[in-house]
């Protein structure tokens, strides 16, 4: 049996609305919102009786998705949003963009901050990391032609 695809990456947030707005400004589409609750969901996550608001964001090509979750019950228990790039575990999401400068300018209006600087990797990419809503680490890559 073969792997079919990566379905989504999950990110837990405090302010679901602001995070949706940020990723919309980045260029993702809101595919849908839902509330997930009850014992059945807790059997999947191991959290017991849970109540979670989720939003599924889709990349313009339709292949990539982010599942944004706001836990109402039980509350979030750990916070590693401000961990540096060399921390263990899942850390960031990287997006390919047409124009890194225009994207940065647009996202600064939503509070995005450049982590280091925009750098050129050979004649292939311009790259940077930003901190988005709630300190989320996001990579941007502009392919050079």
């Amino acid at each position: 049996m073969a792997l079919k695809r990566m379905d989504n990456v999950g990110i837990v947030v405090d302010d679901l609305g602001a995070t949706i707005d940020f990723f919309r400004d980045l260029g993702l589409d809101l595919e849908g919102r839902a509330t997930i609750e009850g014992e059945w969901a807790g059997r999947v996550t191991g959290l017991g009786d849970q109540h979670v608001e989720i939003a599924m964001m889709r990349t313009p090509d339709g292949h990539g998705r982010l599942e944004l979750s706001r836990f109402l019950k039980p509350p979030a228990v750990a916070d590693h949003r401000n961990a540096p790039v060399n921390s263990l575990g899942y850390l960031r999401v990287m997006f390919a963009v047409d124009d890194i400068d225009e994207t940065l300018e647009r996202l600064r209006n939503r509070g995005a901050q450049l982590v280091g600087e925009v750098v050129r990797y050979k004649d292939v990419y311009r790259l940077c990391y930003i901190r988005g809503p709630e300190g989320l680490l996001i990579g941007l890559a502009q392919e050079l032609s």
Side-chain angles (χ1 to χ4, degrees):
M1 183 172 292
L3 178 72
K4 292 173 71 172
R5 68 179 178 269
M6 184 187 81
D7 198 49
N8 68 65
V9 172
I11 301 174
V12 177
V13 300
D14 282 327
D15 189 336
L16 189 59
T19 308
I20 289 169
D21 290 342
F22 178 88
F23 283 111
R24 275 185 166 156
D25 280 356
L26 178 57
L28 277 72
D29 298 314
L30 178 62
E31 190 172 71
R33 289 182 76 159
T35 298
I36 308 296
E37 59 186 318
E39 178 269 335
W40 72 269
R43 290 196 335 258
V44 174
T45 62
L47 294 175
D49 188 26
Q50 67 182 34
H51 185 179
V52 184
E53 295 176 321
I54 65 164
M56 191 65 74
M57 306 295 296
R58 183 183 61 240
T59 58
D61 67 2
H63 296 294
R65 287 179 175 75
L66 289 180
E67 180 181 302
L68 306 175
S69 302
R70 178 175 168 251
F71 277 82
L72 304 172
K73 177 180 151 188
V77 296
D79 190 344
H80 56 270
R81 291 174 287 190
N82 293 312
V85 173
N86 61 341
S87 297
L88 296 173
Y90 297 106
L91 187 63
R92 63 127 175 100
V93 177
M94 176 77 72
F95 293 98
V97 298
D98 289 331
D99 183 329
I100 207 166
D101 297 315
E102 185 272 331
T103 302
L104 283 170
E105 188 60 35
R106 191 173 65 246
L107 295 178
R108 281 188 177 114
N109 294 329
R110 293 268 179 210
Q113 297 179 330
L114 198 57
V115 171
E117 57 187 89
V118 178
V119 299
R120 186 180 189 108
Y121 173 70
K122 299 183 179 180
D123 287 328
V124 182
Y125 289 103
R126 291 182 72 218
L127 304 163
C128 72
Y129 285 157
I130 60 172
R131 289 282 179 185
E134 302 186 34
L136 297 174
L137 187 61
I138 298 163
L140 301 175
Q142 176 186 341
E143 195 169 5
L144 301 173
S145 48

